[in-house]
Amino acid sequence: MHDLGALSDTAFLIASTIKVLVAFVVTLVVVAMWTLAERRFSAFIQDRLGPNRVGPFGLLQPAADGLKNLLKEESSPGEAAKFYFMLAPMLAIAPAFLLMAVIPWAAPLPTPWGLVDMVIADVPIGILFILAFSSLGVYGLFLAGWSSNNKYAFLGGLRASAQMVSYEVSLGLSLIPVFMLVGNVTLTETVWVQQEGLGIWFAFPLGLAFFLFVIASFAETNRLPFDMPEAEAELVAGYHSEYSSMKFSMFMIGEYAHLLTQSALMATLFFGGWDIPFWQGDDMRVIAPGVVEGAEPAWWKSLLTFFAFAAKTLFFAFVFIWVRWTLPRFRYDQIMDLGWKALLPTSLAFIMLMAASILVLDTLGLPFGLGYGLILTAVNLVAMVLFFWVLDNDRILAGASARREVERRPSEDEAVVVEEPEEPAVPTGAGV
Amino acid sequence: MAIGVRKVRRPESGTSYLRAALKGMALTFRHMVDPRKVTQQYPDEKPNIAPRWRGTHRMEVHADGRPKCVACGLCPTICPANCIRLVPGEDDQGNRYPIVYEIDEFRCIFCGMCQEVCPVEAIHVGQDYEAAEFTRDRFVYDLDRLMAQDHPVTALWDPSDPLSE
């Protein structure tokens, strides 16, 4: 227990202001850099080099893009509902940035004026706040599609809302096992339980939930393979067909900010947040203003844990890019099938399984700790093997090669062949 | 009669979406870390062009700076795009020379027939591709400009060596 003194009211105000500014600016800069990263990584994947001419390694490319978008003509369709047309990009961008406010990004920082939490607002409803605000993003998309008065944009907006509603359910349900282990919904508590309480990152005892969360996150952020609302091959540009210049850019910034916050959430909820693995020196939590339980806070620990958090977040952000440039888009009915028939029942079943396991372990009187976590990991492993075995056996999803396989060798694999109609005899000499 | 539907049990190796997705991810990752890229860094790195590439024209000159052209009129006659304007002149010794020799590079189709027909090997198409200008009238090359061009000239097709080996 370390008492480093609480911040005075003035110091708290100043510290919070600085934190808000820093978090906002850093997120914006990383978003800008991530648009560049997306283009560079996609280029590397396709054996190209990507934009590398503006500034060193093309680092000023986002600035050039931003300037271009600011200077572009702003068009507004004549039949559009002006107010909502203007409102939509703002609604798309705001929720994504708001999420950054509740995510803890480093260990608490001791200062001469007292201890500063490295989270803007450690709200007691942490994860619920995130679920509430990440689903607000769909209003921006749907309003954009509806107010444009364009059939393609409208279809994009409809798809956005259908997809969001479907995957929001599994997103929320996949987090319930986390609540059950933490016994709380604050994110700082989640990090602490992964550091000390359970002593193991939730990705191990709750691996299946993590997998479902990742899939639902892809759908939430409208990234390929779930970018139905945009679907440029079918819907021109989907919900933002009619947008130009900075308004279009705001949708883009919103998308990337959403991507970043979802990556930060994956890191926080399932990969220990700012925890550095195999090191007890950073295991601390604030139990009252200025009072820390666990290890002694230090400025260099805050810095190191911030780097750990950044590395985890950027890794998941990279996975988003990697998947985007590998997998093709699903068909609309496949997305709905996957959401309602696969993810929803699986997440419900996993909740039941975890609840039962926790109940059994508690009844047996096992202390909450590493052993507890390892038993849950074993249970989870069985669940995952079962899940992937079912998913892998063509019960829900099938690769495109399934079709090709059938065409190539129709005579083999005749396990269940129903009678075929006889070929109608070709009339010989007809039409000559 | 009902339409016969053929039900085929699919082999697992070919139908798994997960395995196919992971295979794809591995493939894209391999390409991402592969240092061999196909991008040509154009202004820094010039592309190699073929010896028989036909670009903007060049007029050969004698050692004393006169154009080799004898104003015979064959190139404006054979030019399919009619882009060469030639006004012939004759000096005191009876030597013919071009008073005006202009090529409109916009009309030119770069067929190279002017080079093939030229009896004194004066006009050539060249191995050149950077012909951008700020105004349209700059694309009409006059005699001085044609003589000032210094890029390598196009190799003619040799019937005895059809593949240019």
Side-chain angles (χ1 to χ4, degrees):
Chain A
M1 201 82 77
H2 309 276
D3 193 348
L4 292 121
L7 292 172
S8 68
D9 284 353
T10 328
F12 177 77
L13 201 65
I14 294 170
S16 292
T17 314
I18 293 173
K19 280 190 289 187
V20 168
L21 281 178
V22 168
F24 185 66
V25 170
V26 167
T27 313
L28 261 185
V29 168
V30 176
V31 162
M33 283 301 143
W34 220 246
T35 60
L36 174 69
E38 170 110 50
R39 294 173 66 185
R40 288 307 294 270
F41 281 129
S42 69
F44 291 153
I45 282 171
Q46 295 164 355
D47 287 344
R48 298 180 288 116
L49 287 175
N52 62 349
R53 302 204 68 85
V54 193
F57 306 107
L59 282 178
L60 292 178
Q61 184 71 39
D65 289 345
L67 199 65
K68 184 191 82 171
N69 270 328
L70 276 174
L71 296 177
K72 267 193 163 181
E73 183 191 353
E74 199 164 323
S75 68
S76 168
E79 297 296 312
K82 283 280 177 328
F83 176 71
Y84 297 110
F85 191 74
M86 297 285 280
L87 188 66
M90 304 178 202
L91 275 181
I93 203 170
F97 278 103
L98 270 174
L99 293 188
M100 271 296 168
V102 295
I103 298 174
W105 67 78
L109 178 74
T111 59
W113 304 278
L115 191 75
V116 182
D117 275 351
M118 285 289 105
V119 49
I120 292 173
D122 186 18
V123 286
I125 53 162
I127 302 175
L128 301 180
F129 176 91
I130 283 168
L131 287 178
F133 272 90
S134 71
S135 46
L136 267 186
V138 72
Y139 284 92
L141 269 55
F142 184 70
L143 269 184
W146 174 76
S147 64
S148 298
N149 204 2
N150 170 323
K151 59 186 168 192
Y152 296 112
F154 186 58
L155 275 174
L158 280 182
R159 284 179 176 193
S161 34
Q163 180 180 320
M164 291 276 193
V165 168
S166 312
Y167 281 82
E168 195 70 46
V169 181
S170 358
L171 189 82
L173 287 179
S174 67
L175 289 182
I176 287 183
V178 176
F179 301 165
M180 292 196 296
L181 279 182
V182 179
N184 200 329
V185 289
T186 60
L187 285 161
T188 43
E189 196 71 15
T190 310
V191 174
W192 170 253
V193 171
Q194 292 179 77
Q195 286 176 327
E196 279 289 310
L198 206 58
I200 186 170
W201 289 354
F202 285 159
F204 301 104
L206 304 175
L208 189 54
F210 173 63
F211 184 73
L212 299 176
F213 184 76
V214 170
I215 295 182
S217 291
F218 275 95
E220 277 288 298
T221 49
N222 302 316
R223 299 278 299 181
L224 274 161
F226 300 106
D227 73 333
M228 277 291 123
E230 211 175 314
E232 65 270 14
E234 306 154 29
L235 299 181
V236 191
Y239 62 93
H240 55 49
S241 295
E242 296 286 0
Y243 283 86
S244 62
S245 83
M246 210 54 206
K247 279 195 253 159
F248 168 76
S249 206
M250 276 166 81
F251 280 115
M252 277 297 164
I253 295 172
E255 184 188 323
Y256 281 90
H258 215 129
L259 185 157
L260 272 185
T261 46
Q262 291 290 345
S263 311
L265 274 181
M266 287 177 203
T268 307
L269 293 171
F270 292 99
F271 282 82
W274 42 264
D275 178 38
I276 299 173
F278 311 115
W279 187 47
Q280 305 301 315
D282 65 336
D283 295 357
M284 58 186 92
R285 78 163 155 174
V286 180
I287 46 177
V291 185
V292 171
E293 181 189 354
E296 169 105 45
W299 66 267
W300 54 272
K301 282 180 184 171
S302 294
L303 201 64
L304 279 182
T305 49
F306 173 73
F307 284 136
F309 174 74
K312 289 172 195 174
T313 303
L314 292 187
F315 171 75
F316 288 116
F318 165 72
V319 171
F320 271 98
I321 292 178
W322 184 14
V323 167
R324 173 174 177 185
W325 295 98
T326 306
L327 300 181
R329 183 183 304 126
F330 279 110
R331 228 166 43 213
Y332 184 67
D333 61 319
Q334 288 173 327
I335 288 196
M336 288 296 131
D337 271 8
L338 184 69
W340 290 108
K341 294 183 187 166
L343 294 194
L344 180 63
T346 315
S347 49
L348 280 173
F350 192 67
I351 291 172
M352 291 308 292
L353 180 72
M354 275 298 135
S357 316
I358 289 170
L359 186 66
V360 167
L361 289 179
D362 281 349
T363 315
L364 292 176
L366 201 74
F368 193 70
L370 192 60
Y372 198 100
L374 289 179
I375 293 174
L376 286 185
T377 308
V379 172
N380 167 65
L381 214 60
V382 174
M384 277 182 97
V385 167
L386 203 69
F387 174 70
F388 285 120
W389 183 79
V390 172
L391 198 65
D392 206 26
N393 275 272
D394 192 18
R395 301 296 195 281
I396 297 143
L397 285 172
S401 57
R403 217 163 38 242
R404 202 183 60 217
E405 202 78 17
V406 171
E407 281 159 12
R408 199 167 58 220
R409 17 187 207 128
S411 58
E412 291 175 34
D413 313 307
E414 284 172 326
V416 201
V417 177
V418 196
E419 98 277 22
E420 275 181 280
E422 281 177 25
E423 292 270 319
V426 181
T428 46
V432 179
Chain B
M1 192 181 71
I3 300 168
V5 178
R6 199 184 159 83
K7 284 193 180 163
V8 180
R9 180 182 284 278
R10 295 159 168 177
E12 279 165 28
S13 62
T15 53
S16 162
Y17 180 81
L18 279 178
R19 274 180 253 174
L22 289 179
K23 225 156 86 183
M25 302 273 284
L27 181 79
T28 46
F29 192 79
R30 269 203 305 279
H31 276 273
M32 194 181 73
V33 294
D34 190 343
R36 289 168 299 165
K37 303 292 177 200
V38 294
T39 306
Q40 226 173 20
Q41 302 272 57
Y42 161 58
D44 305 333
E45 211 181 287
K46 303 285 183 189
N48 294 322
I49 55 177
R52 266 158 49 200
W53 172 283
R54 299 190 297 264
T56 55
H57 299 76
R58 177 179 165 185
M59 174 69 78
E60 294 286 324
V61 289
H62 286 299
D64 57 359
R66 288 180 300 117
K68 280 188 177 172
C69 178
V70 293
C72 63
L74 278 175
C75 48
T77 310
I78 200 158
C79 180
N82 204 9
C83 67
I84 304 178
R85 190 165 85 89
L86 171 65
V87 177
E90 202 170 311
D91 67 7
D92 302 341
Q93 287 91 43
N95 295 325
R96 287 168 65 88
Y97 67 95
I99 298 173
V100 177
Y101 191 95
E102 278 177 358
I103 297 183
D104 187 344
E105 301 288 351
F106 261 172
R107 297 196 66 170
C108 178
I109 60 170
F110 299 101
C111 60
M113 277 157 107
C114 47
Q115 177 177 359
E116 283 184 42
V117 82
C118 185
V120 291
E121 296 189 0
I123 190 70
H124 291 276
V125 278
Q127 297 178 29
D128 172 57
Y129 51 89
E130 290 169 321
E133 293 288 354
F134 283 103
T135 55
R136 292 181 72 87
D137 50 350
R138 289 275 296 154
F139 281 95
V140 180
Y141 288 14
D142 60 9
L143 189 56
D144 292 334
R145 183 137 176 227
L146 287 169
M147 292 197 300
Q149 301 246 60
D150 56 356
H151 48 73
V153 299
T154 301
L156 273 184
W157 182 66
D158 181 359
S160 65
D161 178 20
L163 295 176
S164 301
E165 282 159 349

